[in-house]
Amino acid sequence: MTVSDNVPLGSERSEWKACCDVLRTKNVLERTEEEMSKFLTLLSRQRAFAHLPYECRLAISKVAYYEREPKKSVDLISHFDVHKYTGPWRLILWGSVEMKAISIPGKTCFDYGKGDSFGDDLTLKALPAGASFTTKEDGCEFLCLQRDDYVAHLQFQEEKELNQRVQYFRNLLVPAFASWTSAQLRELSKRVYPRKYTSRQVIVRENEHGADMYFIIKGECRVVREIEIHKGTAGHMKKMVKLLELAVLQ
């Protein structure tokens, strides 16, 4: 099969819809070379597949299927079975999904958006008990792999991710990790999971009981303190709250 980059960036949305129609209505033997070429091009632009060899993407194209959830607030992975989940692995094509987890300070929520994926064992087993994944809007669209197909074609990436995490912790200038063995760092790597935060989102407040440890992979965090400033004259004092920056963490 000849594969060319035949999908203009501005038409990705419509091409995905066309490819999903093909997935939904045609079996593998009925799909044309042009249809498969476009699908493989679109797969190569997704983070989950970008570094996969052509043969692996071709194999995935034969077993992947399209799923659309018409309503928001639908549990895709419920809090009852997050640690024993055997359902499909999903890549978000359109829309967003909220991950909720209960920690000691309260409920932690963050969003998965277009291009993000979930349903892999490495992430799910690290999440707190009671975590769930719920659609945030109507009409979320997904590219899915059944569990057996995920294991056959993508689970090998979990080992690669684990090795990258071990190397990350090994390179950290944290005295507590200096004497840790590879086995200990590997076990730590299995217990962490990704979180995304938007700009100016509060991660933890002063005097809160922290239940988690955070490692910054990308971006920076600012440690700030609210201070009260009083301005004006006697009888007409105006209280203002400003943020005093104490440190920047990277």
Side-chain angles (χ1 to χ4, degrees), residues 144-194:
C144 308
L145 292 177
Q146 291 290 2
R147 177 59 42 177
D148 289 346
D149 293 323
Y150 170 79
V151 170
H153 301 297
L154 282 181
Q155 195 170 45
F156 75 91
Q157 295 202 119
E158 293 185 16
E159 183 65 26
K160 182 179 179 181
E161 172 67 19
L162 263 179
N163 291 334
Q164 289 175 343
R165 292 181 184 182
V166 170
Q167 191 59 45
Y168 169 80
F169 286 124
R170 196 185 304 280
N171 293 338
L172 280 181
L173 299 177
V174 179
F177 295 154
S179 61
W180 282 34
T181 65
S182 294
Q184 289 173 317
L185 291 175
R186 185 177 175 83
E187 189 59 33
L188 172 64
S189 298
K190 291 180 180 179
R191 295 175 181 270
V192 297
Y193 62 93

